[in-house]
Amino acid sequence: MVETHDTMAPMGIRLSPLGVAIFCLLGVGVIYHLYAGVISNRVAAFRQGSNVDLRDLLALSVEAAVQGGKEVKKVREENTLDERTKGKTKEGASELMTLGDLRSHKKMFYLMKNTYPALKVNSEEHDSSVGEDEVWNRDIPSDILEKVPEGHEVPAHTVTVWIDPLDATQEYTENLSQYVTTMVCVAVDGKPVIGVIHKPFTGDTAWAFVGHGTNVRARTSYISSSPKVIVSRSHAGKVKSFIQDAFGNTTTITPAGGAGYKVLSLVEPLPHDTAATSDQADVYIHVTFIKKWDICAGAALVEALGGKMTTLKGEVIDYSGSEGNSGGLVATVGLDHKALLEKLPNWVPEKH
Ligand SMILES: *[C@@H]1O[C@H](CO)[C@@H](O)[C@H](O)[C@H]1NC(C)=O
Ligand SMILES: *[C@@H]1O[C@H](CO)[C@@H](O)[C@H](O)[C@H]1NC(C)=O
């Protein structure tokens, strides 16, 4: 062999030492270009990471609530609830957790986290499993595209997502499925901006994007003089005199399970709602401690319809941290919220 210094290049071309040098230079150039490409992709990914499109997040929130709801329904139908007590509420009632809560949490939480790893997500449940491979298909439902024709980007660090994988667990264990919802809320700078409330057992989903649109409607009339008040099923007794002091003894008090359900009682019935699966009320009042994943989605929904959800003293509730709300709750849609608050007697929260 004479040509020992020659190198085989692709496609069998034999190269002289000069040829090898040129080939290497070309190689460096190609590698440089590839590397530059990687860097610019990183920059693009970083840009995406620092901003998040709220319309995308709305579509993803709807998807998460629906997917979570499927798990909730399946566990109920298979009757594999495996219910257990996860602790006590501040009122001393036992707080239940079921396989439905857990499976729904996994779907909803990882759908959100795998799509937007940088977002802060507060879920009612926790689990130690990793690597759930839920991915969002990035489809935006047509009714969202219709009402929200453009994207709306905000910095990711201003966003807090609240997930309630199964609202009304107590009622779920009692097979009172009409009260059960799955909820997602997106708060920006602590203000509720996107709210999704899904009813797994009817399949209806209510969504709202404050200032941009919603698929639910306010009813045409609400009663303020002797309003129908919807309250928690587990402490209806405690609020009775409080509500009668404010609105008189003839006012109707409707006990119901689930904060999501109670907010929906303030708006027009959803497509699959029947008398047996929904109530209608003028005001939603809550007087004990409540977690923010229970109320954030409802707050956005009410706000999108021009209504208000505040503490009993009329304070705005902040949804940026992770703590609960101990100021009580008043939600209205078509009423003079301030005038209604003025009728309420002073509420002294119980000491624990
Ligand atoms: C729960 O209620 C549904 C109807 O609402 C019924 O078909 C089902 O059998 C009930 N399940 C149990 C375990 O009671
Ligand atoms: C309303 O009912 C309470 C007892 O629940 C009673 O003490 C009060 O006098 C009643 N008020 C009126 C105006 O009838």
Side-chain angles (χ1 to χ4, degrees), residues 240-241 244-245 248-249:
K240 192 175 169 210
S241 61
Q244 288 185 338
D245 270 2
N249 287 1

Side-chain angles (χ1 to χ4, degrees), residues 51-123:
N51 269 350
V52 53
D53 186 312
L54 291 178
R55 184 179 60 174
D56 286 351
L57 209 42
L58 167 59
L60 173 58
S61 300
V62 167
E63 179 68 8
V66 169
Q67 291 303 329
K70 284 184 183 160
E71 300 297 316
V72 166
K73 190 161 177 260
K74 198 163 150 227
V75 169
R76 182 64 264 185
E77 282 168 357
E78 291 168 355
N79 221 1
T80 52
L81 274 64
D82 188 22
E83 67 186 79
R84 58 190 88 163
T85 304
K86 64 177 178 185
K88 296 263 183 224
T89 65
K90 291 203 172 174
E91 291 83 50
S94 61
E95 252 189 307
L96 293 173
M97 213 253 302
T98 68
L99 193 61
D101 296 74
L102 208 56
R103 290 237 174 110
S104 175
H105 158 79
K106 281 190 191 177
K107 277 275 176 199
M108 294 176 76
F109 182 79
Y110 287 107
L111 207 45
M112 210 43 98
K113 265 298 192 192
N114 290 348
T115 311
Y116 297 110
L119 287 190
K120 178 177 166 195
V121 181
N122 294 327
S123 171

Side-chain angles (χ1 to χ4, degrees), residues 235-255:
H235 1 81
K238 288 188 193 172
V239 291
K240 192 175 169 210
S241 61
F242 176 80
I243 289 166
Q244 288 185 338
D245 270 2
F247 307 115
N249 287 1
T250 57
T251 209
T252 311
I253 301 172
T254 309

Side-chain angles (χ1 to χ4, degrees), residues 120-346:
K120 178 177 166 195
V121 181
N122 294 327
S123 171
E124 172 160 17
E125 305 304 335
H126 301 275
D127 76 299
S128 51
S129 67
V130 280
E132 288 280 326
D133 53 2
E134 307 302 333
V135 276
W136 180 39
N137 56 19
R138 302 202 73 86
D139 284 349
I140 302 184
S142 56
D143 66 331
I144 292 180
L145 287 174
E146 209 173 279
K147 293 196 168 96
V148 191
E150 284 164 15
H152 296 273
E153 287 197 358
V154 294
H157 70 88
T158 62
V159 173
T160 309
V161 178
W162 296 86
I163 288 180
D164 193 339
L166 201 171
D167 186 36
T169 302
Q170 173 67 43
E171 286 73 18
Y172 180 67
T173 63
E174 293 172 45
N175 203 20
L176 296 169
S177 306
Q178 72 272 24
Y179 294 129
V180 173
T181 62
T182 58
M183 294 191 275
V184 182
C185 180
V186 176
V188 179
D189 290 326
K191 293 186 190 71
V193 166
I194 289 170
V196 175
I197 306 179
H198 172 69
K199 288 189 166 180
F201 294 91
T202 63
D204 287 327
T205 308
W207 61 261
F209 183 2
V210 177
H212 297 281
T214 168
N215 68 344
V216 293
R217 276 182 302 197
R219 294 205 305 274
T220 48
S221 68
Y222 292 89
I223 297 160
S224 63
S225 51
S226 180
K228 212 170 173 183
V229 187
I230 198 155
V231 302
S232 165
R233 199 174 152 252
S234 37
H235 1 81
K238 288 188 193 172
V239 291
K240 192 175 169 210
S241 61
F242 176 80
I243 289 166
Q244 288 185 338
D245 270 2
F247 307 115
N249 287 1
T250 57
T251 209
T252 311
I253 301 172
T254 309
Y261 177 93
K262 290 196 268 292
V263 164
L264 290 176
S265 79
L266 302 176
V267 302
E268 267 201 0
L270 302 183
H272 297 93
D273 275 345
T274 61
T277 59
S278 76
D279 283 299
Q280 297 208 341
D282 301 302
V283 189
Y284 166 25
I285 290 181
H286 188 88
V287 296
T288 57
F289 180 84
I290 192 160
K291 302 282 181 49
K292 286 181 183 170
W293 42 69
D294 285 328
I295 57 176
C296 183
L301 201 90
V302 160
E303 188 122 333
L305 294 170
K308 280 200 158 47
M309 182 188 278
T310 65
T311 67
L312 293 168
K313 287 195 174 124
E315 297 144 328
V316 167
I317 300 166
D318 178 273
Y319 295 91
S320 58
S322 55
E323 75 296 344
N325 166 53
S326 39
L329 206 67
V330 184
T332 60
V333 171
L335 293 176
D336 181 342
H337 194 80
K338 197 160 168 272
L340 196 123
L341 287 171
E342 280 163 8
K343 291 188 186 174
L344 297 178
N346 263 336

